[in-house]
Amino acid sequence: MDAIISVSNLVKKYGEFEAVKGISFEVVEGEIFGLLGPNGAGKSTTLEIIETLRDKTGGDVIVDGINLDESPGDIKKIIGVQLQASGYYPGLNLLELIELFAGLYNQPVNGRELLSLVNLQDKAKAKFKELSGGQKQRFSIATTLINKPKIIFLDEPTTGLDPQARRNLWDLIKDIRDKGTTVIITTHYMDEAEVLCDRVAIIDSGQIVAIDSPVKLIDDLVAAGFERKKEVKKASLEDVFIQLTGKEFRDE
Ligand code: ADP
Ligand code: MG
C-alpha cells in the first residue's frame, strides 16, 4: 500500500513553546487514519499544517507526491477540510451554501446529490442553524466533499453527539472511505477509534507514542501482561442504551 501522506520530523513552535516535537508518520491511501491524544497533544496543529492552513517550524510534509513547501496550492486542490461554522452565512440554506462553496472551489456540484449522500436531502431548504448537532456534522462533512478530494480531514466530528448520531456518522465516514477517499480523523472516543480507524497514531505532548492498527495495539498491550482490574462484563452501559433506545438514527 502506498503512502498518500508522508510527514517527517514535523516541528511546530508557538513562540518558545514546542507544540509538535518532530513527529513522523505516513497515511496509507484509502485508509481511515486516526490521530488520538489528550487535549493539547498537537492533533489539530498537525492537521492544520498538512491542510496548508498553518505554517510549520520544521520538517517535511508530502501529500500525494506534492511537497508542502513547494506547492501548497496544489495540495489544497486535492483535500477536503471542514469549514468553520462561521463561514456558513446565516441567510443561506444548505443548498445555497453548497453552491457558494462550489463556486469558491470553482467546481461544478450537484448539491442535492451531495445532500442525499449525507442523508440531508429533506433539509435542502433549511438553514444551518436549524439543524440538530448530528445534522450539522453531516452537513459539514458534505462540504469537505465538494471538490471531490482524495483526502478529507475531520477534526473531532463526533464530539457532543448522541450514541445514535455517532453511529450514523461512523457509517457515513466508512462509506466515504469505501468509495476510495482517504480519511484522517481526530477523536477522543476510543470505542469510536476502535471500530472506525484502520490505523491510529497516539500523540502525547507533541510526540507520537504509538502507531498501528487498533487490534495490534491492544494485542501488544495484552502480550505485555496488561490485565483489566475488574472482570469485563459482556455488555457496556452504552450497549444498554442502544438496546433500549434503538440503533435507529433519530433525525432529531
Ligand atoms: P489538540 O488538537 O491535540 O488538542 P492543538 O494542536 O490544538 O492540540 O494544540 C497543541 C498545543 O499548542 C496546546 O498546548 C495549545 O495550547 C497550543 N496552541 C495551539 N494553537 C496555538 C496558537 N495559535 N498559539 C499558541 N499556542 C497554541
Ligand atoms: Mg484539537
Side-chain angles (χ1 to χ4, degrees):
M1 290 287 253
D2 291 332
I4 193 161
I5 297 178
S6 168
V7 171
S8 337
N9 304 313
L10 181 67
V11 175
K12 175 64 180 182
K13 286 187 182 178
Y14 294 110
E16 290 293 289
F17 174 67
E18 204 172 40
V20 177
K21 301 187 174 105
I23 63 172
S24 302
F25 63 94
E26 289 188 336
V27 177
V28 175
E29 183 156 25
E31 74 177 346
I32 300 176
F33 184 85
L35 267 186
L36 314 179
N39 274 329
K43 303 178 297 294
S44 296
T45 298
T46 301
L47 288 195
E48 286 170 16
I49 290 169
I50 304 170
E51 293 164 1
T52 79
L53 301 176
R54 229 178 249 248
D55 290 333
K56 58 184 165 63
T57 308
D60 290 302
V61 176
I62 312 280
V63 180
D64 198 31
I66 308 162
N67 190 320
L68 174 67
D69 291 331
E70 288 160 14
S71 323
D74 290 341
I75 292 180
K76 258 188 201 144
K77 283 183 201 148
I78 59 153
I79 64 169
V81 173
Q82 287 184 293
L83 298 166
Q84 298 300 312
S86 55
Y88 299 153
Y89 297 93
L92 302 183
N93 65 38
L94 301 191
L95 207 52
E96 291 165 339
L97 283 171
I98 286 180
E99 278 156 12
L100 172 75
F101 295 140
L104 298 178
Y105 283 124
N106 214 356
Q107 280 274 342
V109 74
N110 184 332
R112 287 191 184 273
E113 205 172 280
L114 192 57
L115 287 175
S116 310
L117 186 76
V118 298
N119 209 8
L120 285 175
Q121 60 280 4
D122 299 340
K123 296 283 174 186
K125 294 286 162 67
K127 307 270 163 61
F128 182 74
K129 64 169 189 287
E130 296 161 359
L131 303 179
S132 70
Q135 291 168 341
K136 281 181 173 149
Q137 280 300 341
R138 297 212 304 280
F139 179 71
S140 159
I141 291 175
T143 66
T144 71
L145 298 171
I146 289 172
N147 60 332
K148 302 175 186 73
K150 288 191 173 179
I151 309 164
I152 62 169
F153 293 79
L154 306 174
D155 201 352
E156 295 188 31
T158 63
T159 294
L161 299 184
D162 71 35
Q164 283 90 352
R166 253 179 5 119
R167 279 166 175 69
N168 176 264
L169 270 200
W170 299 348
D171 289 343
L172 172 61
I173 293 167
K174 284 183 182 167
D175 236 40
I176 292 170
R177 186 242 353 241
D178 292 345
K179 287 180 182 143
T181 308
T182 305
V183 180
I184 304 190
I185 183 170
T186 72
T187 177
H188 287 298
Y189 304 113
M190 294 306 124
D191 61 330
E192 173 168 304
E194 207 177 323
V195 299
L196 197 55
C197 297
D198 297 297
R199 291 190 313 133
V200 298
I202 301 177
I203 307 191
D204 194 14
S205 304
Q207 286 176 309
I208 292 184
V209 293
I211 181 164
D212 218 316
S213 67
V215 168
K216 180 69 167 48
L217 291 173
I218 294 166
D219 287 350
D220 286 352
L221 183 65
V222 172
F226 177 89
E227 277 181 52
R228 282 196 181 160
K229 288 221 177 68
K230 274 200 252 169
E231 196 184 318
V232 182
K233 297 215 165 96
K234 282 188 176 154
S236 66
L237 185 58
E238 176 134 344
D239 295 324
V240 173
F241 182 94
I242 291 289
Q243 278 301 311
L244 293 175
T245 63
K247 240 192 190 127
E248 198 48 48
F249 178 59
R250 320 282 167 87
D251 237 357
E252 302 123 81

